[in-house]
mmCIF file of all heavy atoms in Angstrom:
data_model
loop_
_atom_site.group_PDB
_atom_site.id
_atom_site.type_symbol
_atom_site.label_atom_id
_atom_site.label_comp_id
_atom_site.label_asym_id
_atom_site.label_seq_id
_atom_site.Cartn_x
_atom_site.Cartn_y
_atom_site.Cartn_z
ATOM 1 N N MET A 38 43.367 8.423 16.562
ATOM 2 C CA MET A 38 42.271 7.695 15.958
ATOM 3 C C MET A 38 42.554 6.318 15.607
ATOM 4 O O MET A 38 43.471 5.825 15.999
ATOM 5 C CB MET A 38 41.765 8.417 14.649
ATOM 6 C CG MET A 38 40.854 9.654 14.873
ATOM 7 S SD MET A 38 40.237 10.568 13.376
ATOM 8 C CE MET A 38 39.163 9.318 12.763
ATOM 9 N N GLY A 39 41.657 5.696 14.779
ATOM 10 C CA GLY A 39 41.945 4.196 14.529
ATOM 11 C C GLY A 39 42.978 4.080 13.366
ATOM 12 O O GLY A 39 43.719 4.983 13.074
ATOM 13 N N LYS A 40 42.899 2.859 13.008
ATOM 14 C CA LYS A 40 43.929 2.365 12.017
ATOM 15 C C LYS A 40 43.768 3.071 10.716
ATOM 16 O O LYS A 40 44.704 3.475 10.087
ATOM 17 C CB LYS A 40 43.818 0.851 11.848
ATOM 18 C CG LYS A 40 44.888 0.238 11.051
ATOM 19 C CD LYS A 40 44.630 -1.209 10.995
ATOM 20 C CE LYS A 40 45.658 -1.971 10.016
ATOM 21 N NZ LYS A 40 45.624 -3.425 10.045
ATOM 22 N N TYR A 41 42.430 3.222 10.395
ATOM 23 C CA TYR A 41 42.133 3.797 8.957
ATOM 24 C C TYR A 41 41.669 5.293 9.162
ATOM 25 O O TYR A 41 40.685 5.522 9.897
ATOM 26 C CB TYR A 41 41.035 3.013 8.299
ATOM 27 C CG TYR A 41 41.530 1.605 8.147
ATOM 28 C CD1 TYR A 41 40.943 0.601 8.966
ATOM 29 C CD2 TYR A 41 42.342 1.129 7.132
ATOM 30 C CE1 TYR A 41 41.276 -0.742 8.771
ATOM 31 C CE2 TYR A 41 42.748 -0.141 6.962
ATOM 32 C CZ TYR A 41 42.212 -1.118 7.767
ATOM 33 O OH TYR A 41 42.495 -2.358 7.626
ATOM 34 N N GLN A 42 42.253 6.194 8.460
ATOM 35 C CA GLN A 42 41.873 7.556 8.616
ATOM 36 C C GLN A 42 41.323 8.019 7.253
ATOM 37 O O GLN A 42 41.778 7.631 6.159
ATOM 38 C CB GLN A 42 43.126 8.488 8.887
ATOM 39 C CG GLN A 42 43.784 8.111 10.133
ATOM 40 C CD GLN A 42 43.815 9.276 11.023
ATOM 41 O OE1 GLN A 42 43.690 10.388 10.744
ATOM 42 N NE2 GLN A 42 44.084 9.041 12.311
ATOM 43 N N LEU A 43 40.058 8.596 7.206
ATOM 44 C CA LEU A 43 39.378 8.945 6.042
ATOM 45 C C LEU A 43 39.722 10.327 5.723
ATOM 46 O O LEU A 43 39.754 11.229 6.577
ATOM 47 C CB LEU A 43 37.900 8.769 6.220
ATOM 48 C CG LEU A 43 37.454 7.377 6.553
ATOM 49 C CD1 LEU A 43 35.875 7.324 6.860
ATOM 50 C CD2 LEU A 43 37.606 6.382 5.358
ATOM 51 N N ASP A 44 39.723 10.629 4.315
ATOM 52 C CA ASP A 44 39.834 11.967 3.832
ATOM 53 C C ASP A 44 38.359 12.520 3.926
ATOM 54 O O ASP A 44 37.536 11.820 4.254
ATOM 55 C CB ASP A 44 40.410 12.081 2.507
ATOM 56 C CG ASP A 44 39.578 11.297 1.464
ATOM 57 O OD1 ASP A 44 38.712 10.543 1.880
ATOM 58 O OD2 ASP A 44 39.924 11.357 0.316
ATOM 59 N N THR A 45 38.217 13.756 3.532
ATOM 60 C CA THR A 45 36.844 14.373 3.746
ATOM 61 C C THR A 45 35.823 13.698 2.825
ATOM 62 O O THR A 45 34.768 13.475 3.105
ATOM 63 C CB THR A 45 37.011 16.007 3.358
ATOM 64 O OG1 THR A 45 37.518 16.063 2.138
ATOM 65 C CG2 THR A 45 37.706 16.674 4.397
ATOM 66 N N LYS A 46 36.321 13.240 1.587
ATOM 67 C CA LYS A 46 35.414 12.638 0.719
ATOM 68 C C LYS A 46 34.890 11.316 1.350
ATOM 69 O O LYS A 46 33.798 10.939 1.204
ATOM 70 C CB LYS A 46 36.137 12.385 -0.691
ATOM 71 C CG LYS A 46 35.243 11.815 -1.678
ATOM 72 C CD LYS A 46 36.074 11.663 -3.049
ATOM 73 C CE LYS A 46 35.116 11.064 -4.132
ATOM 74 N NZ LYS A 46 35.962 10.886 -5.423
ATOM 75 N N GLY A 47 35.805 10.513 1.961
ATOM 76 C CA GLY A 47 35.438 9.293 2.650
ATOM 77 C C GLY A 47 34.377 9.655 3.867
ATOM 78 O O GLY A 47 33.548 8.681 4.049
ATOM 79 N N GLN A 48 34.788 10.636 4.569
ATOM 80 C CA GLN A 48 33.890 10.977 5.765
ATOM 81 C C GLN A 48 32.569 11.269 5.285
ATOM 82 O O GLN A 48 31.520 10.759 5.896
ATOM 83 C CB GLN A 48 34.514 12.101 6.508
ATOM 84 C CG GLN A 48 35.821 11.755 7.291
ATOM 85 C CD GLN A 48 36.436 13.020 7.965
ATOM 86 O OE1 GLN A 48 36.144 14.101 7.564
ATOM 87 N NE2 GLN A 48 37.254 12.647 8.898
ATOM 88 N N VAL A 49 32.417 11.962 4.123
ATOM 89 C CA VAL A 49 31.129 12.306 3.627
ATOM 90 C C VAL A 49 30.352 11.102 3.269
ATOM 91 O O VAL A 49 29.214 10.804 3.488
ATOM 92 C CB VAL A 49 31.210 13.310 2.457
ATOM 93 C CG1 VAL A 49 29.896 13.472 1.766
ATOM 94 C CG2 VAL A 49 31.741 14.679 2.989
ATOM 95 N N ALA A 50 31.035 10.041 2.620
ATOM 96 C CA ALA A 50 30.526 8.820 2.059
ATOM 97 C C ALA A 50 29.937 8.036 3.343
ATOM 98 O O ALA A 50 28.852 7.468 3.229
ATOM 99 C CB ALA A 50 31.391 8.095 1.311
ATOM 100 N N VAL A 51 30.764 8.020 4.282
ATOM 101 C CA VAL A 51 30.255 7.291 5.587
ATOM 102 C C VAL A 51 29.100 7.879 6.340
ATOM 103 O O VAL A 51 28.260 7.229 6.616
ATOM 104 C CB VAL A 51 31.563 7.025 6.576
ATOM 105 C CG1 VAL A 51 31.060 6.621 7.824
ATOM 106 C CG2 VAL A 51 32.655 6.300 5.863
ATOM 107 N N ALA A 52 29.156 9.224 6.237
ATOM 108 C CA ALA A 52 27.972 9.879 6.956
ATOM 109 C C ALA A 52 26.792 9.696 6.071
ATOM 110 O O ALA A 52 25.661 9.398 6.686
ATOM 111 C CB ALA A 52 28.350 11.353 6.966
ATOM 112 N N LYS A 53 26.854 9.683 4.758
ATOM 113 C CA LYS A 53 25.786 9.468 4.010
ATOM 114 C C LYS A 53 25.140 8.098 4.197
ATOM 115 O O LYS A 53 23.912 7.769 4.170
ATOM 116 C CB LYS A 53 26.108 9.563 2.484
ATOM 117 C CG LYS A 53 25.666 10.828 1.830
ATOM 118 C CD LYS A 53 26.102 10.772 0.286
ATOM 119 C CE LYS A 53 25.375 11.751 -0.442
ATOM 120 N NZ LYS A 53 25.721 11.706 -1.938
ATOM 121 N N TYR A 54 26.078 7.014 4.292
ATOM 122 C CA TYR A 54 25.676 5.674 4.388
ATOM 123 C C TYR A 54 24.922 5.573 5.673
ATOM 124 O O TYR A 54 23.867 4.821 5.698
ATOM 125 C CB TYR A 54 26.971 4.795 4.401
ATOM 126 C CG TYR A 54 26.684 3.306 4.768
ATOM 127 C CD1 TYR A 54 26.152 2.464 3.848
ATOM 128 C CD2 TYR A 54 26.723 2.846 6.070
ATOM 129 C CE1 TYR A 54 25.781 1.181 4.160
ATOM 130 C CE2 TYR A 54 26.329 1.600 6.530
ATOM 131 C CZ TYR A 54 25.965 0.806 5.583
ATOM 132 O OH TYR A 54 25.620 -0.481 5.839
ATOM 133 N N HIS A 55 25.395 6.020 6.730
ATOM 134 C CA HIS A 55 24.765 5.858 8.224
ATOM 135 C C HIS A 55 23.377 6.629 8.178
ATOM 136 O O HIS A 55 22.420 6.162 8.774
ATOM 137 C CB HIS A 55 25.723 6.473 9.266
ATOM 138 C CG HIS A 55 26.734 5.406 9.448
ATOM 139 N ND1 HIS A 55 26.641 4.285 10.026
ATOM 140 C CD2 HIS A 55 28.110 5.554 9.337
ATOM 141 C CE1 HIS A 55 27.835 3.544 10.142
ATOM 142 N NE2 HIS A 55 28.664 4.458 9.733
ATOM 143 N N GLU A 56 23.342 7.828 7.508
ATOM 144 C CA GLU A 56 22.093 8.531 7.373
ATOM 145 C C GLU A 56 21.040 7.691 6.622
ATOM 146 O O GLU A 56 19.919 7.633 7.091
ATOM 147 C CB GLU A 56 22.296 9.923 6.725
ATOM 148 C CG GLU A 56 21.185 10.784 6.740
ATOM 149 C CD GLU A 56 20.875 11.359 8.024
ATOM 150 O OE1 GLU A 56 21.869 11.523 8.936
ATOM 151 O OE2 GLU A 56 19.705 11.529 8.510
ATOM 152 N N LYS A 57 21.409 6.957 5.647
ATOM 153 C CA LYS A 57 20.525 6.146 4.766
ATOM 154 C C LYS A 57 20.115 4.920 5.589
ATOM 155 O O LYS A 57 18.984 4.610 5.441
ATOM 156 C CB LYS A 57 21.201 5.806 3.463
ATOM 157 C CG LYS A 57 20.348 5.222 2.326
ATOM 158 C CD LYS A 57 21.123 5.169 1.180
ATOM 159 C CE LYS A 57 20.312 4.490 0.111
ATOM 160 N NZ LYS A 57 20.969 4.218 -1.166
ATOM 161 N N HIS A 58 20.944 4.412 6.288
ATOM 162 C CA HIS A 58 20.714 3.067 6.908
ATOM 163 C C HIS A 58 20.269 3.225 8.390
ATOM 164 O O HIS A 58 20.147 2.104 8.995
ATOM 165 C CB HIS A 58 21.911 2.198 6.777
ATOM 166 C CG HIS A 58 22.059 1.781 5.236
ATOM 167 N ND1 HIS A 58 22.894 2.444 4.472
ATOM 168 C CD2 HIS A 58 21.807 0.537 4.746
ATOM 169 C CE1 HIS A 58 22.808 1.937 3.210
ATOM 170 N NE2 HIS A 58 22.228 0.679 3.350
ATOM 171 N N LYS A 59 20.126 4.372 8.874
ATOM 172 C CA LYS A 59 19.669 4.361 10.341
ATOM 173 C C LYS A 59 18.099 4.053 10.291
ATOM 174 O O LYS A 59 17.406 4.251 9.565
ATOM 175 C CB LYS A 59 19.828 5.736 10.967
ATOM 176 C CG LYS A 59 19.050 6.862 10.547
ATOM 177 C CD LYS A 59 19.440 8.157 11.334
ATOM 178 C CE LYS A 59 18.529 9.241 10.910
ATOM 179 N NZ LYS A 59 18.774 10.396 11.609
ATOM 180 N N PRO A 60 17.783 3.296 11.425
ATOM 181 C CA PRO A 60 16.378 2.746 11.435
ATOM 182 C C PRO A 60 15.515 4.011 11.709
ATOM 183 O O PRO A 60 15.829 5.088 12.248
ATOM 184 C CB PRO A 60 16.498 1.948 12.775
ATOM 185 C CG PRO A 60 17.577 2.384 13.498
ATOM 186 C CD PRO A 60 18.529 2.893 12.525
ATOM 187 N N ALA A 61 14.331 3.852 10.984
ATOM 188 C CA ALA A 61 13.213 4.907 11.069
ATOM 189 C C ALA A 61 12.779 5.127 12.538
ATOM 190 O O ALA A 61 12.636 4.206 13.238
ATOM 191 C CB ALA A 61 12.106 4.550 10.206
ATOM 192 N N LYS A 62 12.819 6.332 12.809
ATOM 193 C CA LYS A 62 12.201 6.639 14.180
ATOM 194 C C LYS A 62 10.808 6.323 14.359
ATOM 195 O O LYS A 62 9.982 6.535 13.468
ATOM 196 C CB LYS A 62 12.470 8.169 14.394
ATOM 197 C CG LYS A 62 13.050 8.475 15.744
ATOM 198 C CD LYS A 62 13.192 10.035 15.818
ATOM 199 C CE LYS A 62 13.924 10.366 17.093
ATOM 200 N NZ LYS A 62 14.093 11.884 17.184
ATOM 201 N N PHE A 63 10.476 5.835 15.444
ATOM 202 C CA PHE A 63 9.068 5.322 15.711
ATOM 203 C C PHE A 63 8.303 6.509 16.132
ATOM 204 O O PHE A 63 8.555 7.188 17.133
ATOM 205 C CB PHE A 63 9.018 4.361 16.773
ATOM 206 C CG PHE A 63 7.675 3.760 17.036
ATOM 207 C CD1 PHE A 63 7.062 2.892 16.121
ATOM 208 C CD2 PHE A 63 6.987 4.192 18.263
ATOM 209 C CE1 PHE A 63 5.795 2.439 16.293
ATOM 210 C CE2 PHE A 63 5.589 3.735 18.428
ATOM 211 C CZ PHE A 63 5.037 2.791 17.509
ATOM 212 N N ASP A 64 7.369 6.862 15.247
ATOM 213 C CA ASP A 64 6.554 8.152 15.613
ATOM 214 C C ASP A 64 5.166 7.618 16.116
ATOM 215 O O ASP A 64 4.266 7.053 15.492
ATOM 216 C CB ASP A 64 6.245 8.905 14.314
ATOM 217 C CG ASP A 64 5.607 10.285 14.630
ATOM 218 O OD1 ASP A 64 5.374 10.691 15.789
ATOM 219 O OD2 ASP A 64 5.368 10.934 13.628
ATOM 220 N N LYS A 65 5.041 7.851 17.565
ATOM 221 C CA LYS A 65 3.804 7.379 18.114
ATOM 222 C C LYS A 65 2.494 8.032 17.510
ATOM 223 O O LYS A 65 1.469 7.308 17.357
ATOM 224 C CB LYS A 65 4.001 7.708 19.683
ATOM 225 C CG LYS A 65 2.904 7.009 20.430
ATOM 226 C CD LYS A 65 3.225 7.079 21.975
ATOM 227 C CE LYS A 65 2.206 6.248 22.823
ATOM 228 N NZ LYS A 65 2.533 6.398 24.269
ATOM 229 N N LYS A 66 2.481 9.328 17.382
ATOM 230 C CA LYS A 66 1.334 10.069 16.880
ATOM 231 C C LYS A 66 0.879 9.505 15.501
ATOM 232 O O LYS A 66 -0.262 9.317 15.323
ATOM 233 C CB LYS A 66 1.566 11.610 16.874
ATOM 234 C CG LYS A 66 1.586 12.281 18.128
ATOM 235 C CD LYS A 66 1.650 13.794 17.980
ATOM 236 C CE LYS A 66 1.619 14.523 19.280
ATOM 237 N NZ LYS A 66 1.756 15.981 19.145
ATOM 238 N N GLN A 67 1.944 9.373 14.628
ATOM 239 C CA GLN A 67 1.549 8.956 13.361
ATOM 240 C C GLN A 67 0.996 7.514 13.385
ATOM 241 O O GLN A 67 0.084 7.180 12.728
ATOM 242 C CB GLN A 67 2.868 8.866 12.555
ATOM 243 C CG GLN A 67 2.629 8.736 11.006
ATOM 244 C CD GLN A 67 3.911 8.759 10.298
ATOM 245 O OE1 GLN A 67 4.980 8.610 10.761
ATOM 246 N NE2 GLN A 67 3.779 9.038 8.894
ATOM 247 N N HIS A 68 1.609 6.513 14.307
ATOM 248 C CA HIS A 68 1.075 5.222 14.402
ATOM 249 C C HIS A 68 -0.354 5.209 14.982
ATOM 250 O O HIS A 68 -1.144 4.460 14.414
ATOM 251 C CB HIS A 68 2.043 4.632 15.375
ATOM 252 C CG HIS A 68 1.664 3.077 15.626
ATOM 253 N ND1 HIS A 68 1.843 2.149 14.590
ATOM 254 C CD2 HIS A 68 1.233 2.487 16.818
ATOM 255 C CE1 HIS A 68 1.512 0.958 15.169
ATOM 256 N NE2 HIS A 68 1.153 1.129 16.306
ATOM 257 N N LEU A 69 -0.684 6.095 15.907
ATOM 258 C CA LEU A 69 -1.990 6.097 16.505
ATOM 259 C C LEU A 69 -2.987 6.522 15.452
ATOM 260 O O LEU A 69 -4.164 6.010 15.325
ATOM 261 C CB LEU A 69 -2.024 7.068 17.761
ATOM 262 C CG LEU A 69 -1.338 6.395 19.005
ATOM 263 C CD1 LEU A 69 -1.345 7.620 20.105
ATOM 264 C CD2 LEU A 69 -2.099 5.263 19.499
ATOM 265 N N GLU A 70 -2.496 7.690 14.723
ATOM 266 C CA GLU A 70 -3.416 8.004 13.597
ATOM 267 C C GLU A 70 -3.771 6.981 12.517
ATOM 268 O O GLU A 70 -4.887 6.779 12.114
ATOM 269 C CB GLU A 70 -2.756 9.265 12.890
ATOM 270 C CG GLU A 70 -3.731 10.101 11.981
ATOM 271 C CD GLU A 70 -4.860 10.747 12.712
ATOM 272 O OE1 GLU A 70 -4.572 11.193 13.954
ATOM 273 O OE2 GLU A 70 -5.968 10.878 12.168
ATOM 274 N N LYS A 71 -2.856 6.126 12.268
ATOM 275 C CA LYS A 71 -3.069 5.137 11.312
ATOM 276 C C LYS A 71 -3.903 3.986 11.863
ATOM 277 O O LYS A 71 -4.855 3.478 11.127
ATOM 278 C CB LYS A 71 -1.618 4.373 11.000
ATOM 279 C CG LYS A 71 -1.655 3.358 10.022
ATOM 280 C CD LYS A 71 -0.150 2.675 9.883
ATOM 281 C CE LYS A 71 -0.208 1.450 8.965
ATOM 282 N NZ LYS A 71 0.993 0.860 8.949
ATOM 283 N N ILE A 72 -3.741 3.591 13.183
ATOM 284 C CA ILE A 72 -4.727 2.662 13.757
ATOM 285 C C ILE A 72 -6.105 3.223 13.889
ATOM 286 O O ILE A 72 -7.115 2.568 13.600
ATOM 287 C CB ILE A 72 -4.054 2.365 15.291
ATOM 288 C CG1 ILE A 72 -2.968 1.624 15.141
ATOM 289 C CG2 ILE A 72 -5.270 1.640 16.068
ATOM 290 C CD1 ILE A 72 -2.254 1.342 16.525
ATOM 291 N N ARG A 73 -6.221 4.495 14.140
ATOM 292 C CA ARG A 73 -7.596 5.093 14.230
ATOM 293 C C ARG A 73 -8.247 5.151 12.781
ATOM 294 O O ARG A 73 -9.426 4.833 12.810
ATOM 295 C CB ARG A 73 -7.472 6.524 14.711
ATOM 296 C CG ARG A 73 -8.672 7.255 14.949
ATOM 297 C CD ARG A 73 -8.391 8.547 15.626
ATOM 298 N NE ARG A 73 -9.652 9.354 15.826
ATOM 299 C CZ ARG A 73 -10.414 10.038 14.957
ATOM 300 N NH1 ARG A 73 -9.885 10.280 13.725
ATOM 301 N NH2 ARG A 73 -11.437 10.653 15.352
ATOM 302 N N ALA A 74 -7.500 5.429 11.776
ATOM 303 C CA ALA A 74 -8.086 5.417 10.473
ATOM 304 C C ALA A 74 -8.468 3.995 10.076
ATOM 305 O O ALA A 74 -9.629 3.873 9.498
ATOM 306 C CB ALA A 74 -6.996 5.961 9.433
ATOM 307 N N GLU A 75 -7.796 2.972 10.444
ATOM 308 C CA GLU A 75 -8.137 1.599 10.094
ATOM 309 C C GLU A 75 -9.469 1.252 10.915
ATOM 310 O O GLU A 75 -10.283 0.584 10.316
ATOM 311 C CB GLU A 75 -7.004 0.693 10.485
ATOM 312 C CG GLU A 75 -5.750 0.655 9.530
ATOM 313 C CD GLU A 75 -4.678 -0.170 9.957
ATOM 314 O OE1 GLU A 75 -4.828 -1.031 10.982
ATOM 315 O OE2 GLU A 75 -3.634 -0.063 9.378
ATOM 316 N N TYR A 76 -9.447 1.604 12.137
ATOM 317 C CA TYR A 76 -10.648 1.344 13.024
ATOM 318 C C TYR A 76 -11.853 1.956 12.505
ATOM 319 O O TYR A 76 -12.873 1.313 12.273
ATOM 320 C CB TYR A 76 -10.423 1.849 14.354
ATOM 321 C CG TYR A 76 -11.597 1.680 15.327
ATOM 322 C CD1 TYR A 76 -12.010 0.513 15.881
ATOM 323 C CD2 TYR A 76 -12.359 2.880 15.515
ATOM 324 C CE1 TYR A 76 -13.166 0.408 16.695
ATOM 325 C CE2 TYR A 76 -13.516 2.819 16.436
ATOM 326 C CZ TYR A 76 -13.797 1.590 16.880
ATOM 327 O OH TYR A 76 -14.935 1.514 17.732
ATOM 328 N N LEU A 77 -11.764 3.273 12.078
ATOM 329 C CA LEU A 77 -12.876 3.946 11.467
ATOM 330 C C LEU A 77 -13.387 3.352 10.226
ATOM 331 O O LEU A 77 -14.640 3.283 9.902
ATOM 332 C CB LEU A 77 -12.613 5.485 11.240
ATOM 333 C CG LEU A 77 -12.398 6.196 12.652
ATOM 334 C CD1 LEU A 77 -12.063 7.711 12.350
ATOM 335 C CD2 LEU A 77 -13.741 6.263 13.508
ATOM 336 N N LYS A 78 -12.433 2.958 9.355
ATOM 337 C CA LYS A 78 -12.791 2.331 8.199
ATOM 338 C C LYS A 78 -13.538 0.957 8.415
ATOM 339 O O LYS A 78 -14.616 0.730 7.769
ATOM 340 C CB LYS A 78 -11.557 1.968 7.334
ATOM 341 C CG LYS A 78 -11.637 1.475 5.984
ATOM 342 C CD LYS A 78 -10.398 1.270 5.344
ATOM 343 C CE LYS A 78 -10.536 0.686 3.965
ATOM 344 N NZ LYS A 78 -9.246 0.195 3.343
ATOM 345 N N LYS A 79 -13.115 0.115 9.255
ATOM 346 C CA LYS A 79 -13.778 -1.040 9.591
ATOM 347 C C LYS A 79 -15.175 -0.892 10.224
ATOM 348 O O LYS A 79 -16.106 -1.545 9.817
ATOM 349 C CB LYS A 79 -12.989 -1.887 10.671
ATOM 350 C CG LYS A 79 -11.808 -2.597 10.046
ATOM 351 C CD LYS A 79 -11.087 -3.395 11.227
ATOM 352 C CE LYS A 79 -9.865 -4.255 10.749
ATOM 353 N NZ LYS A 79 -9.215 -4.972 11.815
ATOM 354 N N LYS A 80 -15.263 0.127 10.985
ATOM 355 C CA LYS A 80 -16.496 0.581 11.657
ATOM 356 C C LYS A 80 -17.520 0.994 10.576
ATOM 357 O O LYS A 80 -18.671 0.609 10.619
ATOM 358 C CB LYS A 80 -16.343 1.736 12.599
ATOM 359 C CG LYS A 80 -17.370 1.873 13.608
ATOM 360 C CD LYS A 80 -17.357 0.825 14.628
ATOM 361 C CE LYS A 80 -18.315 1.180 15.703
ATOM 362 N NZ LYS A 80 -18.611 -0.019 16.681
ATOM 363 N N GLN A 81 -17.055 1.748 9.589
ATOM 364 C CA GLN A 81 -17.865 2.174 8.522
ATOM 365 C C GLN A 81 -18.326 1.043 7.635
ATOM 366 O O GLN A 81 -19.508 1.078 7.337
ATOM 367 C CB GLN A 81 -17.002 3.205 7.617
ATOM 368 C CG GLN A 81 -17.839 3.898 6.603
ATOM 369 C CD GLN A 81 -18.987 4.716 7.158
ATOM 370 O OE1 GLN A 81 -18.711 5.476 8.097
ATOM 371 N NE2 GLN A 81 -20.222 4.771 6.433
ATOM 372 N N GLU A 82 -17.442 0.141 7.426
ATOM 373 C CA GLU A 82 -17.867 -1.107 6.586
ATOM 374 C C GLU A 82 -18.950 -1.989 7.274
ATOM 375 O O GLU A 82 -19.827 -2.414 6.717
ATOM 376 C CB GLU A 82 -16.619 -1.922 6.377
ATOM 377 C CG GLU A 82 -15.662 -1.304 5.339
ATOM 378 C CD GLU A 82 -14.319 -2.089 5.108
ATOM 379 O OE1 GLU A 82 -14.251 -3.256 5.925
ATOM 380 O OE2 GLU A 82 -13.560 -1.715 4.361
ATOM 381 N N GLN A 83 -18.806 -1.954 8.650
ATOM 382 C CA GLN A 83 -19.787 -2.732 9.440
ATOM 383 C C GLN A 83 -21.168 -1.980 9.315
ATOM 384 O O GLN A 83 -22.250 -2.714 9.172
ATOM 385 C CB GLN A 83 -19.345 -2.890 10.972
ATOM 386 C CG GLN A 83 -18.289 -3.902 11.026
ATOM 387 C CD GLN A 83 -17.831 -3.999 12.516
ATOM 388 O OE1 GLN A 83 -18.223 -3.122 13.350
ATOM 389 N NE2 GLN A 83 -17.110 -4.970 12.908
ATOM 390 N N THR A 84 -21.115 -0.715 9.480
ATOM 391 C CA THR A 84 -22.456 0.093 9.426
ATOM 392 C C THR A 84 -23.059 -0.085 7.971
ATOM 393 O O THR A 84 -24.304 -0.068 7.785
ATOM 394 C CB THR A 84 -22.353 1.438 9.848
ATOM 395 O OG1 THR A 84 -21.330 2.094 9.101
ATOM 396 C CG2 THR A 84 -21.935 1.488 11.306
ATOM 397 N N ASP A 85 -22.180 -0.228 6.923
ATOM 398 C CA ASP A 85 -22.606 -0.278 5.545
ATOM 399 C C ASP A 85 -23.332 -1.579 5.370
ATOM 400 O O ASP A 85 -24.416 -1.636 4.595
ATOM 401 C CB ASP A 85 -21.577 -0.104 4.594
ATOM 402 C CG ASP A 85 -21.025 1.351 4.606
ATOM 403 O OD1 ASP A 85 -21.730 2.223 5.105
ATOM 404 O OD2 ASP A 85 -20.079 1.517 3.970
ATOM 405 N N LYS A 86 -22.948 -2.584 6.009
ATOM 406 C CA LYS A 86 -23.559 -3.914 5.787
ATOM 407 C C LYS A 86 -24.901 -4.145 6.422
ATOM 408 O O LYS A 86 -25.680 -4.890 6.000
ATOM 409 C CB LYS A 86 -22.651 -4.983 6.423
ATOM 410 C CG LYS A 86 -21.271 -5.312 5.539
ATOM 411 C CD LYS A 86 -20.437 -6.404 6.343
ATOM 412 C CE LYS A 86 -19.214 -6.603 5.512
ATOM 413 N NZ LYS A 86 -18.289 -7.511 6.131
ATOM 414 N N LEU A 87 -25.169 -3.247 7.515
ATOM 415 C CA LEU A 87 -26.394 -3.408 8.145
ATOM 416 C C LEU A 87 -27.474 -2.722 7.493
ATOM 417 O O LEU A 87 -27.746 -2.167 6.558
ATOM 418 C CB LEU A 87 -26.314 -2.673 9.565
ATOM 419 C CG LEU A 87 -25.363 -3.434 10.435
ATOM 420 C CD1 LEU A 87 -25.382 -2.644 11.784
ATOM 421 C CD2 LEU A 87 -25.859 -4.811 10.892
#
């Protein structure tokens, strides 16, 4: 392995850090649902104005 070897406590800490700091997975379905909700809201506001 590398120069620095971690004990189990250190390995757990490193694993926790990486789990916490990994980028959020892009969820296409959730994103489309959000866009659709915004669109319907705008459309509803337009019809309310008329």
Side-chain angles (χ1 to χ4, degrees):
M38 279 183 68
K40 184 176 177 182
Y41 302 103
Q42 301 236 343
L43 298 173
D44 58 354
T45 53
K46 189 176 178 183
Q48 288 174 340
V49 169
V51 170
K53 256 184 163 177
Y54 173 84
H55 286 294
E56 188 67 32
K57 191 175 182 182
H58 289 86
K59 75 178 180 182
K62 225 178 184 183
F63 183 74
D64 188 4
K65 192 173 184 179
K66 282 186 179 180
Q67 193 176 20
H68 183 68
L69 288 174
E70 192 64 35
K71 183 181 173 187
I72 291 174
R73 185 174 181 273
E75 288 174 10
Y76 172 77
L77 291 174
K78 186 178 174 186
K79 282 184 184 178
K80 196 76 166 165
Q81 186 66 37
E82 287 174 2
Q83 285 180 349
T84 56
D85 290 346
K86 287 181 183 177
L87 295 177

